[in-house]
């Protein structure tokens, strides 16, 4: 999967530039067969050859027929829609005669029309060329054609075929907006987010812990462990382990070290270490090879290995580093129970820089903790003293689950960024009682059994979580606890009854998958759900319009299917269950930010914006949508060890959350290739118009409005660029941003830049 995704990105990058388009038109690569070119017989018969007699004494291709044939060497090439190109090449012929055909020429097929002049008879190398416009097409088929709409005899050679991009064509479109025809209000929850215990989404993204495997799930010096011994061997002791299965014992004069830490100059770092033993332990944060390139803390121990004590750590870095290390050296035998290191500006254990962006994103609801992860997760592992919570192997993904980020931390996270929690319970390997207890732990009064446990762990007053999903993707054989549909519907209902018995007011989300699974869930579980979950992901497409259109097409498909269920299932006649699209996104390309840490580009922002348009057009169907996922893992925000930045897709989500309206209005669908949607703002004194332009051309968009009179001045917020593959990187200068300006609407025409997302707010009455 990874290799395919990488090739897709490279293909897109190759044709996104101006000038000649690489098509191997000189036929030099590789030996044996011209790369990228194939043979086709349209009629008759003939022979194909990869010749040595090219125009400049090099390679070329040829076609010959004695009895008459219509044949071609062809290649398929990506092009920019609504653009102008020139196709040229050289043709040589020998005794070419036609029998209903045209001769030897170069032409286009399966797309825009175009053909060079046709040669007959005998001709030395002759240049041929023509210009064409692509229109809506994003790929073309180039033919080195012999015969052409009929047969020919003789022989023809073709060489130095070149496709040259000339310019983008201006586009004019008209959109009709009926401001008096409104749909159901747009739910704020369509701007939801999803965080899972996977890759660097939480650990390494949201959570500020800098150390990997701080509780020593892996033995020191094991291949998987980030900890290496120095000076002497380290023994892993199981008896009396502080946390987990074992605790490292450092021999006198020895120690352990972890490198790969990120530091900023002048920044303060703090932490703690839990030790047992005697003698002196030196803990040092090291950022260079000089003796001065470190800050150290010396700890004198007075207790034997029979008890553990906690000691505070404080360091200040005097340099910037991406490969600093933490060293722990002991003079005597010492056990290390656990340790922690965070930037001192952490906010309740969370990264300050990541939280700042999450607050800007202003998502109203966050789904947690999974995802596939939840089907093997025991929520009780994530409560109590953080240092004593057991580390586990992540049940669904790579790496270790440290259990540092549990219910208490998630609810604090929600409070910190001003969002609502949405918790998924484990209906995979988890039992009904565990789900029931989890609801009581979060929502129950202090005098309930789980409320008392919560109070013991530091929270007397319940938090209040309204949204709960029962399981995740239980239809898939990749899911822990997967079972047949006829069994799962019973399991779902049992879970729902138990959870509602604790708190009848909660809103339950059931696992859906468009098709037989969703249909049966709705038939058998209608009274045991408030929303039906649906998921989808899209890959990369070479054509930009095609790439963008995938997302709204998927959204529309989900909406159309749900309406069919509403009409066909009797139990839904008076109670239409809406969709919670709680995973949706693009997913392709190499993992540059850890596991599933794909990068996103301007082209993906265009698709996400078009997806939001489709969600608002179907506001009767979609109550919630959770972009998957928020940080690093196919995320809207990416982080390095020391910096965080909005992805292009995150900017699109932020743009609409901040500035798009709340009451959708009718818009005609004849404005292609643009994607246009509109909505009244909350006060209904301004119309917001969202426009996605997935072309390389500026578009003059004429607004025909009924049901409201528009003002002549507009406020515009816009994401735009010249390169569909533009991206942002944490710590670097952003290539993609949100800009705002005031624009005058002359003659009800707005100018929409190429490769852009625009939210236009116009006063209206």
């Amino acid at each position: 999967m990874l290799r395919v995704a990488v090739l897709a990105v490279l293909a897109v990058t190759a044709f996104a530039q101006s000038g000649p388009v690489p098509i191997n038109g000189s036929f030099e690569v590789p030996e044996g067969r011209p790369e990228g070119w194939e043979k086709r017989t349209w009629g008759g018969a003939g022979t194909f050859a990869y010749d040595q007699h090219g125009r400049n004494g090099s390679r070329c291709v040829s076609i010959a027929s004695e009895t008459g044939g219509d044949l071609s060497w062809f290649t398929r090439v990506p092009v920019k829609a609504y653009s102008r190109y020139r196709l040229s090449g050289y043709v040589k012929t020998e005794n070419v005669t036609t029998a209903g055909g045209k001769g030897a020429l170069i032409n286009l097929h399966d797309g825009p029309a175009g053909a060079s002049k046709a040669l007959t008879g005998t001709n030395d190398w002759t240049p041929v060329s023509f210009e064409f416009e692509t229109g809506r097409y994003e790929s073309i088929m180039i033919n080195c054609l012999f015969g052409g709409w009929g047969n020919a005899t003789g022989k023809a050679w073709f060489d130095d075929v070149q496709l040259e991009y000339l310019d983008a064509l201006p586009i004019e479109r008209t959109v009709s907006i009926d401001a008096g025809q409104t749909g159901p209000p747009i739910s704020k929850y369509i701007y939801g987010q999803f965080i899972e215990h996977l890759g660097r989404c939480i650990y390494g993204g949201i959570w500020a812990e800098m150390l990997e495997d701080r509780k020593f799930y892996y033995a020191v010096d094991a291949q998987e462990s980030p900890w290496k011994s120095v000076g002497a061997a380290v023994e892993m002791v199981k008896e009396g382990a502080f946390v987990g299965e074992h605790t490292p014992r450092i021999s006198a004069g020895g120690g352990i070290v972890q490198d790969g830490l990120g530091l900023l100059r002048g920044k303060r770092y703090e932490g703690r270490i839990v030790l047992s033993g005697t003698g002196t332990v030196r803990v040092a944060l090291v950022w260079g090879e000089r003796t001065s390139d470190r800050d150290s803390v010396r700890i004198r121990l007075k207790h034997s290995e029979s008890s553990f004590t906690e000691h505070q750590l404080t360091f200040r870095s005097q340099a910037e580093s991406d490969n600093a290390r933490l060293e722990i050296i002991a003079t005597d035998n010492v056990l290390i129970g656990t340790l922690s290191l965070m930037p001192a500006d952490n906010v309740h254990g969370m990264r300050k820089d990541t939280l700042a962006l999450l607050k800007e994103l202003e998502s109203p609801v966050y789904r947690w903790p999974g995802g596939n992860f939840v089907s093997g997760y025991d929520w009780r592992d994530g409560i109590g003293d953080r240092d004593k919570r057991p580390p586990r192997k992540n049940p669904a993904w790579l790496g270790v689950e440290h259990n540092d980020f549990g219910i208490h931390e998630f609810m604090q996270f929600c409070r910190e960024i001003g969002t609502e929690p949405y918790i998924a319970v484990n209906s995979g390997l988890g039992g009904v009682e565990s789900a029931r207890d989890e609801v009581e732990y979060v929502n129950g009064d202090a005098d309930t059994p789980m409320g008392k446990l919560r109070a013991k762990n530091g929270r007397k007053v319940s938090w209040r979580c309204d949204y709960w999903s029962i399981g995740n993707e239980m239809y898939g054989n990749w899911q822990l606890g997967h079972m047949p549909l006829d069994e799962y519907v019973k399991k779902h209902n049992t879970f729902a009854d138990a959870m509602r018995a604790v708190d009848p007011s909660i809103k339950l989300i059931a696992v859906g998958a468009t098709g037989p699974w969703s249909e049966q869930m709705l038939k058998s579980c209608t009274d045991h759900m408030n929303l039906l979950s649906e998921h989808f992901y899209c890959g990369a497409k070479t054509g930009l319009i095609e790439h963008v259109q995938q997302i709204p097409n998927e959204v529309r498909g989900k909406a159309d299917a749900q309406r069919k269920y509403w009409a066909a299932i009797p139990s839904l006649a008076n109670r239409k269950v809406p969709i919670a699209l709680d995973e949706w996104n693009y997913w392709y390309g190499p993992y540059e930010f850890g596991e599933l840490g794909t990068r996103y580009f301007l082209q993906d922002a265009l698709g996400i914006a078009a997806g939001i348009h489709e969600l608002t057009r179907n506001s009767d169907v979609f109550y919630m949508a959770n972009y998957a996922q928020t940080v690093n893992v196919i995320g809207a925000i990416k982080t390095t060890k020391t910096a965080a930045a909005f992805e292009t897709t995150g900017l699109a989500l932020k743009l609409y959350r901040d500035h798009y309206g709340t009451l959708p209005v009718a818009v005609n669908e004849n404005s292609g290739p643009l994607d246009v949607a509109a909505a009244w703002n909350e006060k209904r004194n301004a119309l917001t118009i969202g426009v996605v332009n997935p072309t390389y051309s500026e578009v003059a968009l004429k607004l025909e409005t009924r049901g409201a009179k528009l003002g002549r001045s507009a406020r515009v917020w816009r994401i735009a660029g010249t390169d569909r593959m533009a991206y942002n990187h944490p710590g670097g200068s952003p290539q993609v941003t949100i800009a705002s300006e005031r624009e005058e609407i002359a003659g009800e025409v707005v100018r929409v830049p190429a490769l852009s997302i625009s939210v236009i707010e116009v006063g209206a009455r």
Side-chain angles (χ1 to χ4, degrees):
M1 182 179 71
L2 175 60
R3 183 173 181 270
V4 173
V6 173
L7 290 176
V9 174
L10 292 177
V12 167
T13 305
F15 89 91
Q17 309 303 318
S18 299
V21 178
I23 59 172
N24 189 27
S26 60
F27 306 104
E28 301 303 315
V29 182
E31 292 293 326
R33 189 179 77 85
E35 184 178 69
W37 290 82
E38 300 178 55
K39 311 165 192 174
R40 174 168 291 184
T41 300
W42 303 92
T47 58
F48 298 86
Y50 187 22
D51 279 341
Q52 294 278 8
H53 308 294
R55 190 171 69 93
N56 294 311
S58 55
R59 291 278 188 172
C60 68
V61 294
S62 66
I63 302 172
S65 178
E66 294 182 358
T67 58
D70 187 4
L71 313 101
S72 70
W73 283 95
F74 74 93
T75 186
R76 296 186 185 277
V77 184
V79 292
K80 302 175 182 179
Y82 302 97
S83 297
R84 193 165 59 93
Y85 285 81
R86 178 185 295 114
L87 182 60
S88 61
Y90 286 82
V91 181
K92 185 171 76 168
T93 59
E94 182 180 278
N95 299 327
V96 172
T97 59
T98 61
K102 292 183 176 296
L105 67 154
I106 297 173
N107 81 318
L108 301 178
H109 192 73
D110 287 346
S116 72
K117 68 179 181 181
L119 301 183
T120 57
T122 299
N123 299 274
D124 200 357
W125 288 109
T126 303
V128 296
S129 67
F130 63 93
E131 294 182 5
F132 65 94
E133 297 178 0
T134 55
R136 62 182 177 84
Y137 292 100
E138 295 187 286
S139 67
I140 58 172
M141 179 177 173
I142 298 174
N143 277 314
C144 294
L145 184 60
F146 182 87
W149 301 276
N151 292 342
T153 58
K155 186 172 184 178
W157 294 260
F158 303 86
D159 202 0
D160 293 334
V161 179
Q162 179 173 305
L163 179 66
E164 184 181 1
Y165 172 77
L166 300 177
D167 52 34
L169 299 172
I171 302 174
E172 296 182 358
R173 290 291 184 271
T174 299
V175 62
S176 297
I177 301 171
D178 188 345
Q181 185 180 340
T182 60
I186 300 165
S187 169
K188 68 177 181 179
Y189 295 109
I190 68 166
Y191 299 107
Q193 289 286 319
F194 167 44
I195 59 175
E196 182 174 7
H197 291 246
L198 158 60
R200 288 170 46 200
C201 179
I202 293 175
Y203 305 117
I206 295 170
W207 196 242
E209 181 60 60
M210 298 166 60
L211 299 175
E212 291 288 339
D213 197 14
R214 74 181 190 90
K215 299 173 187 175
F216 305 103
Y217 176 83
Y218 296 114
V220 173
D221 287 328
Q223 182 177 353
E224 306 91 340
S225 175
W227 294 102
K228 303 305 174 187
S229 62
V230 292
V234 173
E235 178 188 4
M236 301 305 294
V237 179
K238 292 189 175 182
E239 185 177 352
F242 179 79
V243 62
E245 294 185 359
H246 49 217
T247 293
R249 175 187 282 134
I250 299 176
S251 301
I256 60 174
V257 62
Q258 181 175 148
D259 58 16
L261 306 182
L263 302 179
L264 293 176
R265 181 187 298 273
K267 194 174 182 72
R268 196 164 65 89
Y269 300 88
E270 62 185 22
R272 62 189 179 278
I273 186 168
V274 176
L275 300 169
S276 177
T278 59
T280 300
V281 175
R282 177 175 56 80
V283 185
L285 186 62
V286 185
W287 52 83
E289 299 307 317
R290 299 176 302 177
T291 55
S292 59
D293 292 340
R294 62 180 57 217
D295 194 6
S296 302
V297 174
R298 290 184 180 274
I299 302 167
R300 297 187 183 279
L301 299 176
K302 301 178 182 179
H303 302 279
S304 67
E305 291 186 0
S306 62
S307 62
F308 285 91
T309 54
E310 180 179 305
H311 305 270
Q312 299 304 305
L313 305 172
T314 302
F315 307 102
R316 189 177 295 276
S317 173
Q318 299 302 321
E320 186 169 320
S321 176
D322 201 41
N323 194 30
R325 64 185 184 273
L326 190 74
E327 293 179 352
I328 304 151
I329 308 295
T331 60
D332 294 333
N333 292 347
V334 170
L335 292 169
I336 304 177
T338 187
L339 69 165
S340 176
L341 183 67
M342 294 185 178
D345 62 358
N346 74 83
V347 182
H348 302 291
M350 292 170 279
R351 284 180 57 155
K352 183 180 179 180
D353 54 354
T354 304
L355 286 186
L357 296 180
L358 294 174
K359 289 177 182 178
E360 283 190 53
L361 192 58
E362 205 180 353
S363 174
V365 65
Y366 275 73
R367 176 180 179 237
W368 170 88
N372 294 351
F373 172 82
V374 75
S375 293
Y377 177 58
D378 185 347
W379 65 270
R380 292 174 187 265
D381 285 345
I383 60 175
D385 181 352
R386 199 177 297 144
D387 286 344
K388 299 289 283 185
R389 299 176 192 171
R392 309 278 192 201
K393 174 70 180 69
N394 189 304
W397 305 101
L398 301 177
V400 175
E401 171 50 49
H402 313 289
N403 281 311
D404 285 343
F405 194 93
I407 286 176
H408 288 255
E409 289 75 23
F410 174 61
M411 300 306 285
Q412 181 66 48
F413 164 83
C414 292
R415 179 180 179 182
E416 194 63 36
I417 65 173
T419 191
E420 293 182 44
Y422 161 19
I423 297 176
V425 302
N426 180 355
S427 69
L429 301 183
V432 174
E433 286 302 312
S434 178
R436 191 212 76 87
D437 288 350
E438 188 172 6
V439 174
E440 186 173 279
Y441 191 88
V442 174
N443 286 0
D445 293 334
D447 59 355
T448 62
M450 290 297 102
K452 290 177 182 178
L453 179 59
R454 183 187 64 233
K456 180 182 175 183
N457 290 328
R459 174 80 183 191
K460 185 175 181 180
V461 179
S462 64
W463 287 288
R464 186 70 238 158
C465 177
D466 291 331
Y467 297 100
W468 296 79
S469 65
I470 300 175
N472 172 76
E473 295 182 356
M474 296 308 300
Y475 48 83
N477 58 12
W478 59 87
Q479 201 68 215
L480 294 169
H482 163 69
M483 63 179 60
L485 176 57
D486 58 347
E487 295 179 29
Y488 186 74
V489 293
K490 300 172 187 176
K491 186 174 188 178
H492 171 91
N493 289 346
T494 302
F495 268 67
D497 287 339
M499 294 166 71
R500 282 178 171 168
V502 175
D503 185 349
S505 69
I506 60 175
K507 298 176 178 66
L508 295 178
I509 294 128
V511 171
T514 302
W517 184 283
S518 284
E519 186 174 3
Q520 190 59 50
M521 288 292 291
L522 288 166
K523 287 179 179 178
S524 302
C525 310
T526 299
D527 294 335
H528 292 78
M529 70 171 80
N530 298 92
L531 300 167
L532 183 71
S533 166
E534 293 282 356
H535 296 171
F536 76 79
Y537 293 96
C538 296
K541 295 290 186 181
T542 302
L544 178 55
I545 296 173
E546 183 184 17
H547 180 82
V548 170
Q549 199 59 42
Q550 293 180 93
I551 297 282
N553 285 350
E554 287 285 346
V555 173
R556 189 181 311 114
K558 299 288 185 186
D560 290 345
Q562 195 75 355
R563 291 194 187 95
K564 289 180 181 177
Y565 302 145
W566 290 350
I569 298 173
S571 60
L572 298 176
N574 299 314
R575 184 175 176 271
K576 293 178 169 57
V577 176
I579 288 176
L581 185 65
D582 49 16
E583 291 187 35
W584 68 288
N585 200 355
Y586 288 103
W587 184 349
Y588 68 94
Y591 298 159
E592 300 186 35
F593 296 88
E595 189 179 6
L596 273 61
T598 59
R599 187 189 294 284
Y600 290 119
F601 306 92
L602 178 57
Q603 65 177 10
D604 305 310
L606 300 175
I608 294 300
I612 294 172
H613 286 182
E614 199 63 37
L615 288 169
T616 66
R617 292 185 190 108
N618 295 279
S619 58
D620 59 323
V621 175
F622 293 99
Y623 179 79
M624 184 185 292
N626 303 77
Y627 176 94
Q629 296 179 20
T630 308
V631 182
N632 286 327
V633 176
I634 49 176
I637 291 168
K638 293 300 197 298
T639 70
T640 61
K641 298 168 187 176
T642 56
F646 272 120
E647 273 280 22
T648 59
T649 53
L651 291 175
L653 293 162
K654 172 177 164 53
L655 172 63
Y656 279 80
R657 174 68 170 140
D658 287 348
H659 303 296
Y660 195 67
T662 58
L663 188 66
V665 302
V667 177
N668 77 348
E669 298 183 1
N670 298 318
S671 55
L674 302 184
D675 190 307
V676 183
W680 285 104
N681 67 354
E682 196 165 347
K683 295 180 179 179
R684 203 158 178 173
N685 60 7
L687 202 61
T688 59
I689 304 167
V691 185
V692 176
N693 181 1
T695 77
Y696 294 87
S697 301
E698 180 182 84
V699 178
L701 180 63
K702 183 176 177 58
L703 305 176
E704 291 184 348
T705 308
R706 297 190 302 275
K709 183 174 178 59
L710 299 184
R712 295 188 176 184
S713 179
R715 181 78 181 271
V716 181
W717 294 270
R718 180 170 287 141
I719 297 170
T722 57
D723 181 2
R724 66 184 281 190
M725 304 305 289
Y727 63 87
N728 294 337
H729 188 80
S733 297
Q735 298 180 34
V736 182
T737 61
I738 299 174
S740 65
E741 59 185 346
R742 285 212 164 269
E743 292 185 6
E744 296 301 313
I745 301 178
E748 296 187 331
V749 173
V750 295
R751 297 284 172 180
V752 183
L755 303 179
S756 70
I757 307 164
S758 303
V759 173
I760 305 163
E761 183 182 71
V762 190
R765 54 184 174 82

